[in-house]
Amino acid sequence: ILREERAHEVGGVLHSYSGGAALVRRVADPAVAFTAEQPGPRAVWTAVPGSDPVQEIAHLVAAAAGAGRGVLVVAPDARDVARLEAALDERIGAEAFRTLTADLGPAARYRAFLEVRRGHVPVVLGTRAAVFAPVADLGLVVLWDDGDDSLAEPHAPYWHAREVLALRATSTGAALVLGSTSRSVEAQALVEQGWAREVVAPRTEVRRRAPRVVTVGDDDLARDEAAKSARLPHIAWDTARQALARGPVLVQVPRRGYVPALACQTCRQLARCRHCHGPLGVSSGHAVPVCGWCGRLAGDWTCASCRGTRLRAVSVGERRTAEELGRAFPGVPVRTSGRDPSGAGVLDHVDAKPALVVATPGAEPRAEGGYAAALLLDGRVALDRPDLRAAEEAVRRWTAAVSLVRPAADGGVVVLVADPALAPVQALSLIHI
């Protein structure tokens, strides 16, 4: 009994995961030295829905730093880094860690680099480039959301933060933790090869914490003519209406902007710029079509195939979706969160008051107490991206949104507008069943 109580105390917020308490116990033991011959633990950690991964990472970092180990934490973007900064400040104090991001500016960044290089601080936090930080006595490496494409360097030699950190962990013997809400293919390969072990919650715990997932296919949309004006099937509209009585509702839209792609109303041919052949789009309901590549206006556009002059929307962005939802739910506040330059920007969090929060993938703000429901729109658009990993990326984005919704026992519901016969859609449903 004493051993179990001690495991719960050491594991902290990770005690509910299989292997979580043991992971924290090993990195928190100052008597155990990690070397290349006797390396520390290597874990692939999948966060349960509704949890706060930032607090779990902060607990793990505090345990390792308390044992005298150097720690390196890498996150995909500045918003994740800011949340980790606040959590680490509360856990270990601002003087115990340094942040390395491009937002610091050259002088502050170089000053922080020198403090890390000279071993004045044991913990380093940053975005992609921080993987090369010269942390003294490196004993723990943490990478959050390794499937995010911002962690891949787009220039030669095209390194990925996950691969660099794995190499550093191998050469130094440091413990390595890859955390996310959905496991990437590479992380799964590390588990199957035996190089790393998985840290996951039991299925009963996942079911208890997860919301209910409902899928809506093309057949349901075809039978629901009245909902086309708001791009919502009746079940999604009804779910949002009921959930708004309990709290905010998240609406995830795969495209940013207003209408980023147009087509000919007559022949459905994609509307292209006559100068560079780029896609045409509009920034508002009364704006002139503009090329998404060269920026030229196309007010006198005519279709090259049928000579038609009328345009229709092919895909709809988050600002147009917010406008449509405002008409469908009069009197309900509608907020947008995304990287659209003409929008309100990315929101960090929202309160528990009823509201519709329209966000693009990766820009979803956290809600106080969790969202009452989430609507994942235009699932086919996410799956039809010109990318070999479109299905994996869609599941990652959907799972990240699902993790922000309240458990099913508290009324949490997720409506995914996509064909339930597709494998990625079934994967999302099976994760939370």
Side-chain angles (χ1 to χ4, degrees), residues 182 213-215 376 394-402 414-416 422-433:
S182 65
V213 178
V214 179
T215 58
L376 310 181
V395 173
R396 187 187 73 84
R397 293 176 173 183
W398 294 338
T399 305
V402 169
V414 175
V415 179
L416 173 57
L422 299 174
V425 180
Q426 295 179 1
L428 182 72
S429 301
L430 291 174
I431 289 174
H432 303 92
I433 290 180

Side-chain angles (χ1 to χ4, degrees), residues 226-243:
K228 285 187 176 180
S229 60
R231 295 172 47 240
L232 286 177
H234 178 72
I235 186 172
W237 182 87
D238 195 50
T239 298
R241 181 181 59 82
Q242 296 179 14

Side-chain angles (χ1 to χ4, degrees), residues 212-274:
R212 183 168 61 96
V213 178
V214 179
T215 58
V216 181
D218 295 337
D219 293 340
D220 300 303
L221 292 174
R223 291 193 297 265
D224 198 357
E225 296 291 335
K228 285 187 176 180
S229 60
R231 295 172 47 240
L232 286 177
H234 178 72
I235 186 172
W237 182 87
D238 195 50
T239 298
R241 181 181 59 82
Q242 296 179 14
L244 285 170
R246 304 189 304 271
V249 174
L250 175 65
V251 182
Q252 187 190 74
V253 183
R255 296 286 185 89
R256 68 180 185 179
Y258 192 78
V259 178
L262 296 167
C264 177
Q265 178 69 37
T266 304
C267 66
R268 301 299 194 266
Q269 189 74 18
L270 191 65
R272 295 282 184 178
C273 174
R274 67 180 64 179

Side-chain angles (χ1 to χ4, degrees), residues 140-173:
L140 173 65
V141 174
V142 180
L143 176 62
W144 173 250
D145 199 7
D146 65 296
D148 194 304
D149 54 8
S150 65
L151 293 171
E153 171 59 48
H155 304 102
Y158 308 110
W159 53 269
H160 193 286
R162 176 184 53 246
E163 313 306 331
V164 175
L165 293 178
L167 289 172
R168 293 192 66 177
T170 301
S171 62
T172 62

Side-chain angles (χ1 to χ4, degrees), residues 368-401:
E368 182 182 345
Y371 288 98
L375 310 180
L376 310 181
L377 303 183
D378 301 333
R380 193 75 224 189
V381 173
L383 294 171
D384 289 343
R385 294 173 64 237
D387 191 336
L388 293 175
R389 308 185 68 162
E392 178 190 353
E393 179 66 10
V395 173
R396 187 187 73 84
R397 293 176 173 183
W398 294 338
T399 305

